[in-house]
């Protein structure tokens, strides 16, 4: 395997690096750099605008819709440099990672012109209305329905676990538009405005007092007729595309947040003496090996995409990826809490600090339950084998679609 990048990609790397050095706050790269809560808040507020101005957000998107049309290799270099610098890249996960690329793939020209520039500028934020109380893993069993009334869809039903529904401007929502069709075939993918009387959101408060997701109730909610992505009753394939983006991760950067986090866990074990324990040492070595596997698999995927090898082995990597990293993370966070020992049970976070957990954005901490960065990561790791499709469902996909095993029996 050739592990160097082409010269033009390295030139681009220098350009990105120079931009970051110029625009990040003074001292950002210095050992022990810290910001006061007020400084961090100001930085977070201004940074998205700077990224937009520099045209770094979603830079691989086509130029006609405001992207830079970056080729794959350059997009990888861009992601690597932002990771190296520890600079935040994301404006709104649901917009720039899920619905944006989905609209680019399946949307009409009008939809692309309407929504893509607003996603890039951060003008509108999104939430994902897929799961329902009786339709999670069995998503195609969803019951929320939409009926056409003149120029609008009228939506009735309920969604649940809808992250950031409390402040999103739009929801990409799956609704049944043909109740008589087989269940996968009667679903449409609608882009529906959230701020309207027909939509009520209720936060779901969790045991740690955070409330990142919501129940969303639709009672004669209105959605423009033309906001259907992928055609009326064509929503299933579009939803699968969105889930593919949710489960995917950047080939050569996905492992980096785990690598950095593991360094911190090793340091903790060295500091508190647990690194002397053979079982802990073995656990850490095991974790390190898994991070190396993620790194090498990432390079394999990148190499396969660049050389268009269509290698069957690499195709299976995409399918196993979500299962692999989420289970790795759940296990390593359990190890981290074991290493932290009894002091790890004490809540030592500072909710005012507005620190972020690498890879997750805002930290799950608040005045009622001031969890530290490590504790926040531990809690969130419990959800990672669930959202975007559970680890068991990923195994079914690998078994049925990749290995060609018989389909699981369905209830009669
Ligand atoms: C942090 C977080 C954020 C989320 N955000 C969103 C969001 O923004 N929008 C949204 O729409 N949803 C969201 N979800 C919901 C998420 O997509 C669902 O929780 C997930 O799809 C699982 O569905 P469920 O909770 O109904 O569990 P169920 O489907 O009821 O599953 C329960 C258990 O049964 C297992 N199981 C079910 N079917 C099978 C099968 N066929 N074979 C083997 N095992 C099976 C599952 O693996 C699981 O262990 C979020 C979830 C979490 C945890």
């Amino acid at each position: 395997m050739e592990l160097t990048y082409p010269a033009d990609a390295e030139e681009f790397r220098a350009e990105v690096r120079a931009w970051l050095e110029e625009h990040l706050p003074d001292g950002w790269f210095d050992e022990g750099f810290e910001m006061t809560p007020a400084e961090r808040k100001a930085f977070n507020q201004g940074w998205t605008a700077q990224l937009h101005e520099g045209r770094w957000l979603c830079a691989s998107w086509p130029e006609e819709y405001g992207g830079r049309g970056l080729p794959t290799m350059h997009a990888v270099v861009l992601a690597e440099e932002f990771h190296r610098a520890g600079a935040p890249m994301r404006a709104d996960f649901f917009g720039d990672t899920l619905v944006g690329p989905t609209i680019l793939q399946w949307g009409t020209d009008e939809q692309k012109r309407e929504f893509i520039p607003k996603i890039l500028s951060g003008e509108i934020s999104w939430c994902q209305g897929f799961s329902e109380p009786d339709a999670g893993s069995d998503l195609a069993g969803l019951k929320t329905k939409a009926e056409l009334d003149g120029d609008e869809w009228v939506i009735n039903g309920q969604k649940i676990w809808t992250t950031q529904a409390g402040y999103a401007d739009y929801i990409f929502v799956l609704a049944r538009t043909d109740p008589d069709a087989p269940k996968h075939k009667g679903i449409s993918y609608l882009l529906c405005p959230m701020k309207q009387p027909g939509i009520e959101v209720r936060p779901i408060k969790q045991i740690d007092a955070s409330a990142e997701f919501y129940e969303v109730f639709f009672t004669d909610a209105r959605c423009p007729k033309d906001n259907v992505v992928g055609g009326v009753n064509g929503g299933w394939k579009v939803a699968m595309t969105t889930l593919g983006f949710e489960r995917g991760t950047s080939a050569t950067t996905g492992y980096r947040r785990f690598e950095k986090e593991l360094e911190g866990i090793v340091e903790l074990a060295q500091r508190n003496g647990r690194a002397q324990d053979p079982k802990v040492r073995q656990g850490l070595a095991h974790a390190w090996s898994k991070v190396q596997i993620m790194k090498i698999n990432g390079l394999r995927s990148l190499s396969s995409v660049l050389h268009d090898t269509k290698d069957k082995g690499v195709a299976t990597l995409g399918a196993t990826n979500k299962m692999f990293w989420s289970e790795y993370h759940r296990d390593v966070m359990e190890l981290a809490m074991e290493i932290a020992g009894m002091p790890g049970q004490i809540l030592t976070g500072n909710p005012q600090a507005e620190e972020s957990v690498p890879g997750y954005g805002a930290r799950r901490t608040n005045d009622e339950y001031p969890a530290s960065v490590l504790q926040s990561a531990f809690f969130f790791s419990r959800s990672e084998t669930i959202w975007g499709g559970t680890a068991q469902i990923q195994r079914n996909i690998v078994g049925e679609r990749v290995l060609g095993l018989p389909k699981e029996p369905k209830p009669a």
Side-chain angles (χ1 to χ4, degrees):
M1 187 186 279
E2 177 62 71
L3 281 181
T4 54
Y5 289 178
D8 61 331
E10 291 304 338
E11 264 170 44
F12 180 66
R13 187 187 300 284
E15 186 194 326
V16 179
R17 207 171 271 194
W19 188 90
L20 284 167
E21 278 163 13
E22 195 186 327
H23 288 81
L24 284 166
D26 288 344
W28 180 272
F29 294 99
D30 297 347
E31 185 88 27
F33 171 75
E34 274 181 22
M35 283 193 265
T36 64
E39 283 168 346
R40 183 166 288 278
K41 198 167 180 182
F43 167 73
N44 286 343
Q45 278 167 356
W47 187 240
T48 304
Q50 293 202 59
L51 291 179
H52 182 55
E53 215 175 279
R55 297 177 57 227
W56 300 117
L57 285 171
C58 308
S60 57
W61 290 6
E63 286 183 75
E64 57 183 309
Y65 302 115
R68 278 185 176 224
L70 276 193
T72 307
M73 192 70 243
H74 287 58
V76 164
V77 166
L78 176 65
E80 285 181 355
E81 282 308 304
F82 270 69
H83 268 260
R84 188 191 63 85
M89 173 51 111
R90 190 165 275 166
D92 169 39
F93 171 74
F94 291 96
D96 58 43
T97 308
L98 302 190
V99 75
T102 304
I103 293 173
L104 283 172
Q105 186 163 334
W106 292 105
T108 60
D109 274 352
E110 290 72 37
Q111 287 166 351
K112 289 177 196 169
R113 273 198 296 274
E114 163 75 14
F115 291 109
I116 296 297
K118 290 181 186 159
I119 293 173
L120 281 167
S121 66
E123 196 180 323
I124 50 175
S125 63
W126 295 81
C127 61
Q128 177 183 23
F130 283 15
S131 307
E132 297 184 3
D134 290 320
S137 301
D138 179 22
L139 185 59
L142 60 92
K143 294 197 181 70
T144 295
K145 61 175 184 186
E147 290 163 310
L148 211 47
D149 175 24
D151 281 344
E152 290 178 320
W153 292 99
V154 180
I155 308 176
N156 281 286
Q158 189 204 333
K159 298 290 170 180
I160 194 168
W161 315 124
T162 319
T163 307
Q164 74 181 41
Y167 52 89
D169 302 299
Y170 272 83
I171 182 166
F172 45 101
V173 61
L174 294 180
R176 193 157 295 289
T177 39
D178 182 352
D180 302 322
K183 62 180 188 174
H184 292 85
K185 298 205 167 135
I187 294 171
S188 297
Y189 189 112
L190 306 173
L191 308 176
C192 178
M194 283 292 283
K195 309 275 164 56
Q196 56 164 310
I199 295 186
E200 186 199 341
V201 295
R202 294 184 200 157
I204 303 174
K205 191 165 172 182
Q206 295 170 72
I207 198 165
D208 65 358
S210 65
E212 71 209 31
F213 40 37
Y214 295 74
E215 292 177 288
V216 181
F217 296 88
F218 297 83
T219 312
D220 291 335
R222 300 267 159 177
C223 173
K225 182 183 169 199
D226 293 338
N227 284 9
V228 182
V229 184
V232 176
N233 297 325
W236 187 250
K237 61 178 188 295
V238 187
M240 292 305 104
T241 304
T242 302
L243 285 176
F245 290 128
E246 190 167 10
R247 289 165 191 167
T249 181
S250 313
T252 66
T253 52
Y255 77 92
R256 285 173 196 243
R257 74 169 163 122
F258 298 124
E259 190 174 54
K260 198 157 190 219
E261 183 183 72
L262 186 58
E263 278 168 20
I265 299 170
V266 171
E267 274 170 30
L268 172 66
Q270 284 167 337
R271 257 197 330 269
N272 75 4
R274 294 301 311 280
Q276 303 303 320
D277 179 336
K279 194 168 150 271
V280 168
R281 295 169 75 87
Q282 211 168 54
L284 290 170
H286 192 63
W288 184 85
S289 314
K290 289 203 161 184
V291 174
Q292 297 312 306
I293 290 171
M294 287 186 235
K295 177 178 178 177
I296 289 161
N297 279 347
L299 288 168
R300 278 177 68 196
S301 305
L302 174 63
S303 177
S304 168
V305 170
L306 291 174
H307 299 110
D308 198 19
T309 57
K310 301 198 170 53
D311 169 357
K312 176 102 183 353
V314 171
T316 64
L317 289 176
T320 50
N321 188 33
K322 164 82 183 5
M323 183 170 89
F324 191 84
W325 72 253
S326 60
E327 291 187 342
Y328 157 80
H329 200 222
R330 181 195 58 199
D331 295 347
V332 83
M333 289 321 300
E334 274 177 18
L335 177 66
M337 294 320 280
E338 192 190 320
I339 290 170
M342 289 303 276
Q345 310 289 307
I346 301 165
L347 296 171
T348 53
N350 173 6
Q352 311 315 323
E354 278 209 59
E355 291 166 48
S356 66
V357 182
Y360 311 113
R363 215 173 93 190
R364 296 165 53 81
T365 189
N366 53 62
D367 287 326
E368 270 183 68
Y369 203 86
S372 67
V373 171
L374 192 70
Q375 290 160 337
S376 298
F378 167 70
F379 286 130
F380 200 72
S381 73
R382 307 303 302 184
S383 77
E384 289 168 338
T385 51
I386 301 172
W387 60 255
T390 68
Q392 289 83 0
I393 293 301
Q394 303 311 307
R395 282 192 169 73
N396 286 351
I397 293 172
V398 172
E400 292 174 18
R401 291 189 221 154
V402 180
L403 301 176
L405 298 176
K407 282 193 178 287
E408 64 169 325
K410 298 268 180 257

